[in-house]
């Protein structure tokens, strides 16, 4: 059977489990798989660019709803200046030592679901955020780039999450191994595409 969309994935999961009574729970297996995917995979197809304007005097910036991890954060006024990630402790120390000075942001930290900028923008500031976005959920989109590129990740990842529900499925170890191998391959392909033609050495994200 073809495996290209949400409906076909649900059917294949049911067929693999040889169960016709899991219709209501299979979407949960898939959602749990997607949560794992967003933790385990970093691929260039997940990269998203967002541009915005930060108001003067506002040190807190909203994080995109689909944000998973920052790739690059910059101020784009009069060129491009990096805004680097620092710890919450370093943020507190910087603010204390500078008496909460204002200026062009050069650093940020993640606090309470927002980006905390330092120094606080002294004027309206243009920013650009390149980040890894969550893989679009199949329940909303029917298909997505990952389903097209690596449907085995969806299948085996969903089957892994079916095992605790079914309690006694002896195939869990096999499914987990197949999922892990597929994740490693997609991460390798994504990294190889980014460093191809350069002297950079790919650092592959994978599962133990």
């Amino acid at each position: 059977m073809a495996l290209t969309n949400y409906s076909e994935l649900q059917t294949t999961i049911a067929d693999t489990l040889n169960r016709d009574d899991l219709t209501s729970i299979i979407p949960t297996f898939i959602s749990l798989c997607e949560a794992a995917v967003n933790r385990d995979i970093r691929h260039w197809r997940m990269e998203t660019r967002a541009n915005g304007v930060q108001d003067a005097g506002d040190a807190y910036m909203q994080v995109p709803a689909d944000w998973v991890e920052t790739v690059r954060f910059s101020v784009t006024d009069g060129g491009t200046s990096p805004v680097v990630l620092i710890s919450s402790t370093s943020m507190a120390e910087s603010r204390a030592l500078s008496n909460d000075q204002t200026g062009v942001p050069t650093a940020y930290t993640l606090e309470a679901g927002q980006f905390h900028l330092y120094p606080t923008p002294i004027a309206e500031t243009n920013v650009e955020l390149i980040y890894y976005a969550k893989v679009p959920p199949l329940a909303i989109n029917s298909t997505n780039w990952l389903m097209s590129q690596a449907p085995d990740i969806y299948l085996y990842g969903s089957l892994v999450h079916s095992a605790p529900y079914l309690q006694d499925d002896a195939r869990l170890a096999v499914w987990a191994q197949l999922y892990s191998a597929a994740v490693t391959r997609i991460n390798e392909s994504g990294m190889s595409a980014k460093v191809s033609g350069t002297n950079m050495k790919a650092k592959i994200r994978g599962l133990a």
Side-chain angles (χ1 to χ4, degrees), residues 127-179:
V127 296
E128 178 181 80
L129 178 68
I130 299 175
Y131 65 98
Y132 290 111
K134 295 176 182 177
V135 174
L138 291 180
I140 297 173
N141 299 275
S142 179
T143 193
N144 57 38
W145 71 266
L146 185 60
M147 185 57 129
S148 298
Q149 296 287 318
D152 50 341
I153 290 177
Y154 263 110
L155 176 59
Y156 297 125
S158 300
L159 290 171
V160 164
H161 288 286
S162 77
Y165 180 82
L166 300 175
Q167 295 184 346
D168 62 348
D169 201 304
R171 295 168 290 181
L172 172 59
V174 174
W175 293 333
Q177 185 177 20
L178 290 169
Y179 170 79

Side-chain angles (χ1 to χ4, degrees), residues 13 35 38 40 43 92 94 98 108 128 148 181-182 186 188:
I13 292 169
N38 288 322
D40 297 339
H43 192 278
S94 296
S98 68
Y108 76 102
E128 178 181 80
S148 298
I186 199 73
E188 286 176 346

Side-chain angles (χ1 to χ4, degrees), residues 40-72:
D40 297 339
I41 294 177
R42 295 294 179 268
H43 192 278
W44 64 266
R45 292 181 185 274
M46 298 172 72
E47 292 183 9
T48 300
R49 184 190 310 271
N51 293 281
V53 178
Q54 190 70 10
D55 291 336
D58 186 359
Y60 292 91
M61 179 179 133
Q62 292 299 316
V63 178
D66 60 351
W67 177 88
V68 174
E69 183 179 320
T70 298
V71 176
R72 187 168 66 251

Side-chain angles (χ1 to χ4, degrees), residues 2-10 138 142-143 147:
L3 189 52
T4 62
N5 58 48
Y6 190 46
S7 177
E8 291 172 356
L9 176 61
Q10 292 181 78
L138 291 180
S142 179
T143 193
M147 185 57 129

